Amino acid sequence: MKAEVMKRGAMKRVWLVALTSLVALAGCHSFKKENVQPPTPLAKDFKPTVQVTKVWSSSVGEGAGDSGVRLRPAFADGVLYAVSTDGKVAALDAASGKTIWSKSSRTQGWFGWGDKKRADALYAGGPAVYGDLVVVGTLDGHIYAINAKDGSPRWESVVNSEVISAPVISGNLVIARTQDGRLYGFDSATGERRWVYDQDSVPLLSLRGNGSMLAANGVLFFGNDAGKLVALRLDNGEKLWEQTLASGEGRTEIERLSDADGAILLQGSTLFSAAYHGNMVAVDGPSGRPLWARPFSTFTSLDLNNNALFGVNDESQVWAFDKNGGADMWKNDQLRYRWLSAPAVLGDYVVVGDLEGYVHFLQTGDGALAGRERLSKKPIRAQPLVVGDIVYVVDVKGRIGAYRLGAH
């Protein structure tokens, strides 16, 4: 039964995958023109105004590979956790990059080495970490809970479809989202299923990706494939409210794509979110009442500081908006069509990665390019992770770089 459900879900996306295969490695999909736009060349006479120092670099397995997922590390208590679709999971010292422990699920080879309990796990959703628990989902519909101290298995559960976004750990619950539109609540200690939310239907055509969920104040928030922002009760999965981010209008199936594939941000009691072919919105969290909305099409997450929201649109232009009303503050189009990752705020700078492995640093005040480093020659799809004064960046082949800024 499980295999049949997963097969049906995969068939829904078969022609979307074919359509976007040329740009999958670039980390995004542009449907405005028949042909993919060439990336804007980087200025050869660029003079940085901020010093970027690589603190360390390492790698975990083969990363996301050709799966199309955005694997972002997770941080807790000085440790960085990372996974790969070829069955690697590792804990790294966040300050030095040294491996604390590493596990492999691979069982191929002459001697069948590997973790028999997680044979060939195709890690794709996560990881998420809280306390001594690490949770990750897979392309073949499993949820694995792992001991954060040594990587030993805790429990596993089976779901009906692939898991390509990070689960959420909140109190005694683990919530996982599957590509067929369902959400599952599991007991964090045992893996026993507590509830299932299956009220959303996945459109025939949708972008490959699910945005990160947000758990706060007993409520779970997420954006769905129909372009809606949804709030559920954490304890039982009951829907509290939903708001439309994109209406799915247009003459063709592609024009009607309206996924909300970015993370949900919360500051105070206000939620911020955006959708592809839709709007950026601010919503009152307790009631779901819209505070403001403005057109903005993106398939990545937003980030914010005390004054502004930062986003990358579907042409890879970087924007800043007034957080209180959504008014434009600045736009940078020097990286247009370089298929940027979601932005991350590091102090006075916005950090994005691109399709050629470059990491760009823009000033939050005016959007001017201030620094550039190259992690590798592979695309950077996952949103950079900022912890304190360090930003961690990972490419699609599992290469991780840690960077710190200083005066130039």
Side-chain angles (χ1 to χ4, degrees):
M1 178 64 179
K2 173 194 163 196
E4 181 63 26
V5 172
M6 292 177 66
K7 181 179 179 181
R8 290 199 302 267
M11 289 177 65
K12 287 183 178 181
R13 291 169 175 77
V14 64
W15 66 282
L16 174 63
V17 172
L19 177 66
T20 60
S21 61
L22 291 177
V23 293
L25 290 180
C28 80
H29 316 286
S30 176
F31 302 105
K32 287 183 175 294
K33 296 181 182 294
E34 182 179 349
N35 298 311
V36 177
Q37 293 283 0
T40 300
L42 297 179
K44 295 182 179 180
D45 58 350
F46 172 70
K47 295 180 180 179
T49 58
V50 65
Q51 179 181 345
V52 181
T53 301
K54 180 182 284 188
V55 182
W56 57 261
S57 64
S58 185
S59 62
V60 174
E62 291 295 321
D66 297 337
S67 66
V69 302
R70 298 187 285 264
L71 289 178
R72 190 188 193 203
F75 173 90
D77 300 323
V79 180
L80 203 67
Y81 300 89
V83 299
S84 67
T85 54
D86 64 330
K88 302 292 195 308
V89 55
L92 309 177
D93 181 275
S96 67
K98 293 181 179 179
T99 300
I100 299 172
W101 56 257
S102 178
K103 301 289 183 179
S104 174
S105 71
R106 302 299 280 175
T107 57
Q108 281 91 344
W110 291 348
F111 303 104
W113 291 334
D115 187 340
K116 301 296 185 181
K117 294 184 178 180
R118 301 196 298 266
D120 300 327
L122 308 174
Y123 299 124
V129 58
Y130 181 80
D132 65 349
L133 184 66
V134 174
V135 182
V136 60
T138 72
L139 291 174
D140 62 352
H142 285 76
I143 308 294
Y144 291 110
I146 302 167
N147 190 314
K149 301 300 181 183
D150 59 12
S152 59
R154 298 275 286 271
W155 53 260
E156 69 174 271
S157 290
V158 178
V159 292
N160 285 339
S161 183
E162 58 186 352
V163 181
I164 60 174
S165 64
V168 167
I169 307 173
S170 179
N172 62 354
L173 281 175
V174 169
I175 300 93
R177 180 181 181 182
T178 55
Q179 187 71 345
D180 63 358
R182 292 181 173 92
L183 280 76
Y184 298 81
F186 300 98
D187 185 287
S188 62
T190 66
E192 180 182 355
R193 187 180 296 180
R194 296 299 187 189
W195 54 260
V196 179
Y197 170 83
D198 61 357
Q199 297 179 35
D200 288 342
S201 59
V202 178
L204 177 64
L205 189 64
S206 64
L207 298 179
R208 180 165 177 76
N210 288 147
S212 300
M213 299 170 288
L214 170 69
N217 303 316
V219 181
L220 183 74
F221 304 97
F222 67 97
N224 68 17
D225 289 333
K228 298 181 184 298
L229 173 60
V230 184
L232 308 181
R233 282 183 52 164
L234 260 175
D235 58 352
N236 61 12
E238 177 186 346
K239 183 187 288 187
L240 298 174
W241 54 258
E242 68 176 38
Q243 280 293 337
T244 299
L245 305 179
S247 59
E249 297 178 351
R251 292 176 299 175
T252 68
E253 289 286 347
I254 290 174
E255 290 175 341
R256 289 193 290 271
L257 280 170
S258 57
D259 294 43
D261 276 350
I264 311 300
L265 302 179
L266 176 66
Q267 193 170 78
S269 62
T270 302
L271 299 165
F272 300 94
S273 186
Y276 185 62
H277 286 166
N279 295 308
M280 176 186 296
V281 300
V283 174
D284 178 68
S287 66
R289 177 175 58 87
L291 302 176
W292 57 259
R294 59 150 298 145
F296 188 69
S297 177
T298 183
F299 35 74
T300 67
S301 298
L302 308 172
D303 205 358
L304 54 72
N305 61 15
N306 290 332
N307 303 310
L309 278 167
F310 304 94
V312 173
N313 71 6
D314 54 14
E315 294 183 351
S316 282
Q317 296 165 310
V318 186
W319 288 72
F321 305 96
D322 175 34
K323 188 184 64 178
N324 296 317
D328 300 355
M329 295 176 65
W330 53 257
K331 178 182 72 171
N332 185 307
D333 59 4
Q334 293 172 275
L335 305 174
R336 195 176 188 186
Y337 302 123
R338 295 195 64 82
W339 308 128
L340 304 178
S341 71
V345 177
L346 175 64
D348 294 329
Y349 298 88
V350 177
V351 187
V352 292
D354 76 12
L355 82 169
E356 294 179 330
Y358 286 99
V359 186
H360 305 275
F361 299 79
L362 293 74
Q363 295 179 167
T364 56
D366 59 9
L369 284 169
R372 179 197 300 161
E373 277 288 317
R374 195 170 197 179
L375 172 64
S376 68
K377 294 183 179 180
K378 301 299 181 181
I380 298 168
R381 301 190 71 234
Q383 183 178 27
L385 174 67
V386 174
V387 180
D389 64 345
I390 294 181
V391 59
Y392 301 95
V393 185
V394 59
D395 70 15
V396 299
K397 297 298 289 183
R399 189 73 178 171
I400 304 173
Y403 301 93
R404 179 183 285 120
L405 300 182
H408 195 271

